[in-house]
Structures are given as C-alpha cells and as structure tokens.
C-alpha cells in the first residue's frame, strides 16, 4: 500500500517531464544537439587530462624524457584551451535555450491569460498570477538548463572518466563505486522533500506578491487609516515564513553533501589502499595509479552534480505543475462554430428571460426581459447588488447567461464572434482604467491606428483637449499608474475620449459620474451627452437627476424588473423609483442646506 503514493508521484513526474519536453524543449533540439557535441568535447578533454597523468609520471618524472615533457606540456595546454572554448560555447547555448524557454513560457502564459474568462481573474488575485510569471517560470528555466547540462556534460564526462578508470583497472573501478548505490534512497527522499518545500515556498511568495500589490496600489488608504504598522506586520509574517521555507530548502538540499563526501572519501580510501599496495608490490606503475586517482577525483564533481539533479528536478517540476495548472484552464466564453462577424450594428438590443448566477449561487438575474431600439437611451436604476452591472457584463459576453438570450440586431450574441461583438460596444465606468503611458496612447487604446488629429478631435468632443494642452508634454504626458497624475474628472474625460474614438454603436455607462464633484460632473456630463448622440445607450446611474431625460428607465430589484417607464410616469406610480427619488432628493436638499449654513457661518 505504501508504494502507491510513490507510483502516483512518479507517474506525475514523468507526465510533467514529457509535457515540458514536448511543448518547450524539443523546439530547441538543433541547438541542444550542437551543445551536446561541445559537451562531448569537454568530457573527452577532461578524461584525456586524467589519461595523460600516466605519461607525465612514467615518461617525464620517472624516465626523465625531455621530448615527452614537451609533448605532454603542449598536449595539456591544448586540452585546456579546447575544453575552455567548448565549455564557453556549451554554456552560451544552454543559456540561450534556457532563456528562450523562459520567454516562450511567459508569452504563452500571457496569451493564455488574456483569453481567460473574466471569472478567472475574479478567482485568482493579480499578485498570485505575477508570481507564476516571475518565480515559477524562472524555476522552470533553471531546471531545464541545469538538468540538460547535467544529463549532457556531466554524464558524458563521467562516462569518459569511468572509461579511463576501467582501462586502468576494472576491479579497482568496481571497488571504488560499490558504495554509491546505497545513496539512492536518501537522495530520492531529499528530492521529494525539495518538491514539497518548493511548492510551499512559491505559494507563500505568491501571497507576498498579492500583499505588496494591494498595499502599494492602495497606499493612500493604508496611510489615511493609519494601517502602516498592521501592513508591516502582515508582510513581516509572510517574509518570515518564506525565509523559513527557503532555509529549510537549503538545509534539505545540503543534506546530500555529507552523504556524497562520506561515500567519496570511502571510495578514495579504497583506491589508495588497494592501488598503493599494488605500486609497493610492483604490479602497477606510479603513473597508472595516479592516472586512475586523477580520473576518480575528476569524476567526483560530475557525480555530485548528478546526485543533486533529482533535487533540482523536483524543485523545477513543482513550479511546472503550477504553471501547467494555469495553462490547463480553458475559457468557457468562446466563439460558437458558426459565429459570424458583423461590421457595424444598428444597435437594436433585446434581453429575453435572462437568468444568471455566479458559481451556481443565488440568482443575480431572474427573468430579465427588455427591448431597446437603436438610438434609444435606457437607464437601469436600483439598489446596489440588484444586478444592473451584471446586465452590462452579459451584453459584452464577459459571462454567458444560465438561460435566456441577448439579441443584437436580432442575432444572438453567442452567434457573433466575440471580438466583433465587443467592437460594437464602448464602456465608460466609474472604475477608470488608464495605463502608465501617454494620454494619446490611453485615448487611442482600442484604436491603435488613430491619427493624432483623430485623437485630438475625440479629446475635444470629450471636453478634455483644453486641460491636456495645458500639461507640460500635452498628449505625450505620461499619466502614471492608473492615471494617478490626473484628477478624477480628467481621468473620466480621457476615458470618454477613448470611447468616442472607438465610435461604437452601443454605449454602456456604468456610474460614469458617480465619484465626481459638481464642477467636474458638469463638464463630464456635457461630454457624455455628446458621446450618447446617435448611439444606443444603456446607463447605470446612482444620481437619478442624470437620467431623467432617458427614453425609458428600468428599475431593477433583486434581479427582476420591478417597473419601467419614463421619469414622469415612474414618479406618478409612486413605486420603488419614486421612493428612490424621494430619498435622494431629501438627501440632496439636506446637503444644500448644510452647505448654505456653512457658507453663511
């Protein structure tokens, strides 16, 4: 029974090694073949140096032959030069292969993750994904390069040196290696521990990366709430755990050295005793004995490297397992077999009996049905969590409904290619996403072929051109991470300019002005009215005053449409919309009174 976990672990190891070879190593077989040829040169040169010891001792030091001295010296010099050049070439090639595999893996992971569903990113923190990119892939690169080098150069060197030893004395060779099989079990056990420790270490590094990402991103909130000491404590705990795991890995890995030193010392003692006795008895020359000892000592280094190979392999395979786990995840939001491309939609949208829930939990939407004619402006209102943003997410096919359908121009959006569908939609939300790039690059994001004139025109229509022109570098100003160098209103107007430049027939506004002050809101609202012209627009707004002119308002309550109509109709009904309006109107009135009182005082 106890062998079953080992068999499973062995099968998993073989599976990972085979997959790693098929998907990333075999593409570099040409370079690897050339590297192996150079490794053979290195191995042969090393073995030749050991073999030359017999000539140097017997013909030069014992026979005192000057010709042999010159020949031996020249040969040794040539062998060292040849070995140095071959080692350089092999090292450079293996570095090339290792870095290529690293780059291939990172590009493949990035490509795979950009295709992943939005739900995947909801369930996997950004810091953890970054840890996979940096730490795990680096471990894999080191493993591939190290393992191939060990299997190639060190194995070949050992074979050549053992060949010299067998040539000199096969009995002494067998005697010197008899103890090494006893090291197999403890070394295999060390490899298993290394794999487990490495997996735990990478997990903790991922948690630390998540923490750093969160703290540095939200440092303003950390400081405003006086939580610096708390976050230092959290970081300190994770750093200490990583320290303990790394130190444990170092101790585990180092355990191989006393084993190898003891066995190596035993082998050398056997050789000295048995070989020395032969020299004293006259059955062996001093040259052949030292040639054998030299080969044995030179063989000791590749033996140690090969012994550590399992530990290094298991460390890399632990990282490979995590990387492949990411690569194994397939998106569920994909193009149907007969999905079509549409050039530009008219903008007629129909939601038909939509049901949707996240992770099979309580339904977020329960039977949503509504129709929007091309060019209409429709508003969605309701309490937080009612399902308003989910409707927009379904329209963009970030998720698919559990049942029901969404039609765009009478075509089920699942029958439209995803890229084509999303080209028909422009989104402006309260969570503005700007990249650490120029303002021009942020406005043209999604429209990479836009000219400077088109970018400036979009900014002009978004009421952003004036403030951009006043910046030191104008449109070439770097906005910082997530637009940190711009104010909230400026960021919002850049996002509106981006949507204008995209010129999509369907516009989604998700609380686009909720976090702005009155002055900024007025400028942004004017820009939004310009953007909404001649487009089908779905607006989610907390401030009901901003959606009073909508063609139709849908009130969403607990995933259902509670009521619908224009602003005046809904107020007359005295339902949920009227209640929300009264609550908000009262709050705004109180705020105005407070402001007036403060101004007078």
């Amino acid at each position: 029974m106890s062998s079953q976990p080992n068999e499973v672990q062995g099968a998993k190891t073989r599976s990972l090694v085979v997959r790693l070879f098929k998907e990333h190593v075999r593409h570099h077989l040409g370079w690897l073949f050339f590297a192996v040829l150079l490794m053979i040169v290195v191995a042969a040169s090393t073995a030749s140096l050991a073999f030359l010891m017999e000539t140097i001792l017997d013909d030069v030091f014992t026979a005192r032959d000057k010709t042999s001295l010159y020949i031996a010296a020249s040969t040794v010099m040539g062998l060292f030069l040849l070995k140095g050049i071959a080692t350089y070439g092999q090292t450079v090639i293996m570095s090339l292969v290792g870095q290529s595999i690293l780059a291939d893996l990172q590009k493949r992971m990035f490509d795979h993750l950009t295709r992943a569903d939005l739900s995947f990113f909801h369930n996997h923190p950004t810091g953890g994904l970054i840890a996979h990119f940096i730490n795990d892939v680096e471990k894999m690169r080191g493993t591939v390069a190290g393992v191939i080098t060990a299997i190639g150069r060190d194995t070949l060197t050992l074979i050549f040196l053992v060949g010299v030893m067998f040539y000199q004395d096969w009995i002494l060779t067998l005697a010197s290696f008899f103890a090494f099989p006893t090291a197999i079990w403890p070394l295999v056990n060390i490899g298993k521990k290394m794999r487990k420790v490495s997996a735990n270490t990478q997990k903790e590094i991922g948690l630390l990366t998540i923490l750093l990402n969160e703290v540095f991103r939200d440092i303003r909130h950390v400081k405003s709430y006086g939580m610096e000491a708390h976050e230092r404590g959290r970081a300190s705990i994770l750093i200490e755990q990583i320290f303990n795991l790394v130190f444990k890995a170092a101790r585990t890995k180092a355990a191989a050295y006393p084993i190898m030193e003891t066995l190596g010392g035993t082998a050398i003692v056997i050789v000295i005793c048995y070989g020395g006795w032969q020299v004293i008895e006259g059955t062996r020359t001093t040259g052949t004995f030292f040639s054998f000892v030299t080969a044995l000592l030179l063989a000791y280094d590749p033996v140690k490297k090969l012994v550590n190979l399992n530990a290094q392999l298991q460390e890399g395979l632990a990282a490979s397992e995590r990387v492949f786990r990411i690569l194994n995840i397939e998106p569920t939001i994909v193009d149907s077999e007969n999905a079509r491309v549409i050039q530009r939609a008219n903008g007629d949208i129909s939601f038909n009996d939509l049901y949707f829930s996240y992770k099979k939990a309580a339904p977020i939407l329960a039977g949503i049905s509504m129709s929007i004619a091309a060019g209409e402006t429709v508003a969605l209102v309701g309490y937080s969590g009612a399902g308003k943003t989910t409707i927009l997410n379904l329209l963009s096919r970030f998720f698919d409904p559990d049942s029901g359908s969404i039609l765009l121009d009478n075509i089920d959006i699942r029958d439209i290619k995803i890229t084509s569908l999303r080209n028909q939609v422009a989104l402006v939300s309260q969570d503005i996403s700007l990249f650490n790039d120029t303002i021009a690059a942020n406005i043209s994001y999604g429209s990479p072929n836009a000219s400077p004139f088109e970018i400036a025109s979009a900014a002009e229509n978004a009421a952003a051109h004036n403030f951009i022109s006043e910046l030191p570098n104008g449109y070439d100003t770097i906005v910082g991470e997530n637009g940190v160098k711009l104010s909230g209103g400026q960021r919002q107007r850049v996002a509106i300019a981006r949507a204008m430049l995209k010129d999509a027939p369907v516009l989604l506004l998700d609380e686009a002005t909720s976090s702005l002050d009155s002055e900024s809101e007025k400028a942004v609202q004017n820009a939004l009215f310009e953007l909404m012209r001649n487009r089908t627009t779905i607006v989610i707004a907390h401030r009901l005053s901003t959606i009073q002119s909508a063609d139709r308002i849908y009130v969403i309550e607990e995933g259902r449409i509670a009521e619908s109509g224009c602003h005046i109709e809904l107020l007359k009904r005295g339902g949920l919309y009227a209640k929300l309006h009264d609550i908000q109107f009262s709050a705004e009135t109180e705020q105005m009174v407070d402001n007036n009182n403060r101004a007078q005082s």
Side-chain angles (χ1 to χ4, degrees), residues 106-388:
Q106 288 178 324
K107 286 188 285 188
R108 186 180 170 199
M109 282 184 69
F110 188 79
D111 178 73
H112 192 80
L113 287 172
T114 55
R115 298 171 189 271
D117 297 335
L118 195 61
S119 58
F120 173 85
F121 293 97
H122 289 173
N123 297 323
H124 293 80
T126 303
L129 297 177
I130 293 173
H132 287 306
F133 260 91
I134 306 301
N135 300 311
D136 288 341
V137 175
E138 177 61 25
K139 286 283 185 184
M140 292 177 68
R141 183 201 64 79
T143 295
V144 170
V147 167
I148 293 175
T149 299
I151 292 175
R153 184 188 63 195
D154 296 330
T155 301
L156 288 169
T157 300
L158 183 61
I159 290 172
F160 275 90
L161 289 170
V162 170
V164 172
M165 293 165 64
F166 267 100
Y167 176 80
Q168 300 292 2
D169 191 324
W170 66 272
I171 296 177
L172 192 56
T173 301
L174 293 177
S176 62
F177 282 102
F178 88 97
F180 284 96
T182 61
I184 292 176
W185 182 83
L187 293 174
V188 169
N189 193 43
I190 288 172
K192 291 178 182 177
K193 288 182 179 179
M194 282 300 301
R195 185 164 178 173
K196 183 177 180 180
V197 171
S198 177
N200 291 333
T201 302
Q202 295 307 311
K203 180 181 178 181
E204 294 298 323
I205 289 175
L207 293 175
L208 178 61
T209 309
I210 293 170
L211 174 64
L212 295 177
N213 183 61
E214 290 176 345
V215 171
F216 295 155
R217 183 192 62 207
D218 298 324
I219 190 65
R220 181 182 176 192
H221 291 84
V222 173
K223 288 182 175 296
S224 66
Y225 283 92
M227 295 297 286
E228 295 94 334
H230 172 73
E231 298 301 344
R232 284 197 296 269
R234 290 175 63 197
S236 179
I237 291 171
L238 286 172
I239 291 170
E240 192 68 25
Q241 289 173 339
I242 292 171
F243 165 78
N244 290 331
L245 286 167
V246 171
F247 183 52
K248 183 177 180 180
R251 293 200 316 269
T252 303
K253 205 169 185 178
Y257 289 103
I259 297 172
M260 290 307 303
E261 293 296 334
T262 302
L263 294 174
T266 302
I268 291 172
V269 167
I270 293 171
V271 168
I272 291 174
C273 292
Y274 178 65
W277 177 79
Q278 286 182 317
V279 172
I280 293 171
E281 292 294 319
T283 58
R284 176 185 296 279
T285 66
T286 303
T288 57
F289 173 68
F290 274 97
S291 175
F292 184 92
V293 171
T294 301
L296 177 62
L297 294 174
L298 290 173
Y300 186 55
D301 183 61
V303 166
K304 284 198 297 184
K305 290 179 180 177
L306 289 171
V307 163
N308 286 321
L309 176 63
N310 185 53
Q312 185 179 6
L313 177 64
Q314 294 302 326
E315 198 172 4
L317 289 178
S320 303
E321 193 170 358
R322 289 186 297 275
V323 169
F324 287 141
R325 196 179 298 137
I326 295 292
L327 294 176
N328 285 340
I329 296 173
E330 294 295 334
T332 57
I333 309 300
V334 295
D335 289 325
S336 63
E337 187 175 344
N338 299 315
R340 66 174 80 174
V341 173
I342 55 176
Q343 296 305 317
R344 185 174 180 85
N346 292 323
D348 292 300
I349 301 171
S350 176
F351 298 88
N352 302 312
D353 200 25
L354 287 185
Y355 283 80
F356 177 77
S357 60
Y358 294 99
K359 287 189 172 182
K360 298 181 179 179
I364 302 296
L365 301 180
I368 292 289
S369 295
M370 55 186 176
S371 296
I372 306 170
E376 275 192 330
T377 295
V378 166
L380 307 179
V381 300
Y383 293 115
S384 296
K388 304 183 297 295

